[in-house]
């Protein structure tokens, strides 16, 4: 884990934030991204995560090393984090995920993490994006991961929350709220038009496009890393090696641009047209 001066040890460097997007099993590609950034000695000052991005990102912020994340990916299945439930407002419950996080990462408050972190969720009643920066880590991550209709929503501070991907799948704004000057976004929700599925393929492609564009992070991030995950499974955690490798390859491609940008005092320019604060609720 790197959160020191990095990049030639400059004390006046830009503060770097990661915005780790949602994408279920595909989010394991974030491990590969973290690995390459570490190899390049690029410091990470803040991480904001949505859905699987919040799970991987929070573990890293808690001090779990990249090597440990690889081992966790190799040994963790859906049976460890979800259970079937009576289908009133979801087919499964991620209550087991909370226990798994406590056992694997620790029973932590978000404010206790070594690297400042935010989990992004959505309020089912107000349609707001909710940026969680304090409170039980396990609860916040579960809320951020709870895909509406699939997993039961989670009550946090009196609000009914679900997967942040429906409002902000690539949370660059949350990373900037934490204090980042330069945001590296990682988009693992790559749409694909599966013609062999007929009308279902059209519907799936449209839903993927809607989720990918939710929140505008793919436009506003200073650098966008897009692992080659077209047609890769969203549910096959056993493909962790391929996901991690895709994250590594995509990050190596972008590495020269990242290094140039974080050492250029004129970059990035002031950001324009960011999301209106009226659609955002920040719980701090």
């Amino acid at each position: 884990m790197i959160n020191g001066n990095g990049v030639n040890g400059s004390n006046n460097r830009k503060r770097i934030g990661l915005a780790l997007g949602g994408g279920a099993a595909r989010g394991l590609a974030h491990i590969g991204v973290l690995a390459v950034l570490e190899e390049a000695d690029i410091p990470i000052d803040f991480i904001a995560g949505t859905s699987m991005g919040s799970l991987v990102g929070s573990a890293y912020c808690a001090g779990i090393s990249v090597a440990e994340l690889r081992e966790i990916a190799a040994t963790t299945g859906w049976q460890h984090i979800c259970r079937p439930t009576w289908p009133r407002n979801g087919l499964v419950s991620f209550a087991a995920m909370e226990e798994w996080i406590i056992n694997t990462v620790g029973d932590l408050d978000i404010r206790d993490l070594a690297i400042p972190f935010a989990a992004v969720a959505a309020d089912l009643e107000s349609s707001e994006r909710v940026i969680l920066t304090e409170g039980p880590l396990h609860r916040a991550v579960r809320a951020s991961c709870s895909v509406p209709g699939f997993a039961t929503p989670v009550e946090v501070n009196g609000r009914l929350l679900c997967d942040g991907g429906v409002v902000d799948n690539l949370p660059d704004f949350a990373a900037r709220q934490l204090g980042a000057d330069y945001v590296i976004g990682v988009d693992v929700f790559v749409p694909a038009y599966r013609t062999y599925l007929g009308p279902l393929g059209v519907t799936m492609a449209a839903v993927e496009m809607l989720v990918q564009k939710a929140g505008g992070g793919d436009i506003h991030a200073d650098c966008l890393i897009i692992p080659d995950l077209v047609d890769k499974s969203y549910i096959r955690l056993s493909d962790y090696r391929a996901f991690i490798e895709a994250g590594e390859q995509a990050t190596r491609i972008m590495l020269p641009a990242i290094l140039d940008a974080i050492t250029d005092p004129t970059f990035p320019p002031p950001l324009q047209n960011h999301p209106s604060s009226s659609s955002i609720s920040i719980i701090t």
Side-chain angles (χ1 to χ4, degrees):
M1 178 171 58
I2 297 175
N3 61 348
N5 288 331
V7 189
N8 300 323
S10 172
N11 288 313
N12 297 316
R13 65 172 178 78
K14 296 181 180 70
R15 295 171 297 176
I16 300 169
L18 294 185
L20 304 182
R26 291 182 178 188
L28 295 175
H30 296 314
I31 299 172
V33 174
L34 291 165
V36 173
L37 294 177
E38 276 202 357
E39 290 172 6
D41 197 29
I42 293 175
I44 299 168
D45 299 291
F46 312 97
I47 296 181
T50 295
S51 199
M52 182 63 93
S54 74
L55 185 57
V56 174
S58 64
Y60 187 78
C61 288
I64 304 295
S65 70
V66 168
E68 289 171 317
L69 287 173
R70 291 181 189 272
E71 179 62 25
I72 290 169
T75 57
T76 302
W78 290 112
Q79 72 273 17
H80 297 108
I81 58 176
C82 69
R83 299 283 188 276
T85 188
W86 184 257
R88 186 171 64 87
N89 53 11
L91 300 176
V92 302
S93 167
F94 280 160
M97 178 185 290
E98 294 197 53
E99 182 179 352
W100 181 87
I101 291 171
I102 291 171
N103 292 335
T104 306
V105 178
D107 189 1
L108 304 172
D109 189 284
I110 297 173
R111 293 168 294 185
D112 297 330
L113 301 180
I115 298 174
F117 171 76
V120 176
D123 188 315
L124 276 171
E125 296 175 327
S126 70
S127 302
E128 291 179 310
R129 80 186 75 194
V130 178
I131 301 174
L132 299 159
T133 57
E134 71 168 24
L137 177 65
H138 54 87
R139 195 73 170 172
V141 171
R142 176 189 171 189
S144 183
C145 291
S146 293
V147 179
F150 175 70
T152 55
V154 183
E155 186 174 327
V156 178
N157 295 337
R159 306 179 72 167
L160 199 59
L161 304 184
C162 68
D163 194 312
V166 299
V167 290
D168 193 5
N169 198 53
L170 189 66
D172 86 297
F173 179 77
R176 295 189 198 280
Q177 288 295 110
L178 288 172
D181 302 310
Y182 181 83
V183 175
I184 301 169
V186 186
D187 182 6
V188 297
F189 213 96
V190 184
Y193 177 28
R194 303 164 182 85
T195 56
Y196 59 88
L197 292 177
L200 178 59
V202 175
T203 300
M204 288 177 63
V207 170
E208 286 177 321
M209 284 187 281
L210 287 169
V211 173
Q212 185 190 46
K213 300 299 181 183
D218 60 321
I219 298 172
H220 294 300
D222 298 305
C223 170
L224 189 59
I225 296 172
I226 308 177
D228 184 6
L229 299 171
V230 174
D231 274 339
K232 294 292 192 297
S233 171
Y234 286 103
I235 62 173
R236 198 170 295 129
L237 293 173
S238 59
D239 287 347
Y240 67 93
R241 289 188 184 90
F243 294 135
I244 294 172
E245 182 178 348
E248 291 173 336
Q249 291 176 349
T251 307
R252 289 195 178 98
I253 291 170
M254 297 303 299
L255 206 53
I258 294 171
L259 289 168
D260 286 345
I262 64 179
T263 55
D264 180 354
T266 66
F267 190 90
L271 192 65
Q272 303 295 326
N273 300 320
H274 231 302
S276 167
S277 61
S278 64
S279 65
I280 299 164
S281 177
I282 301 173
I283 299 179
T284 59

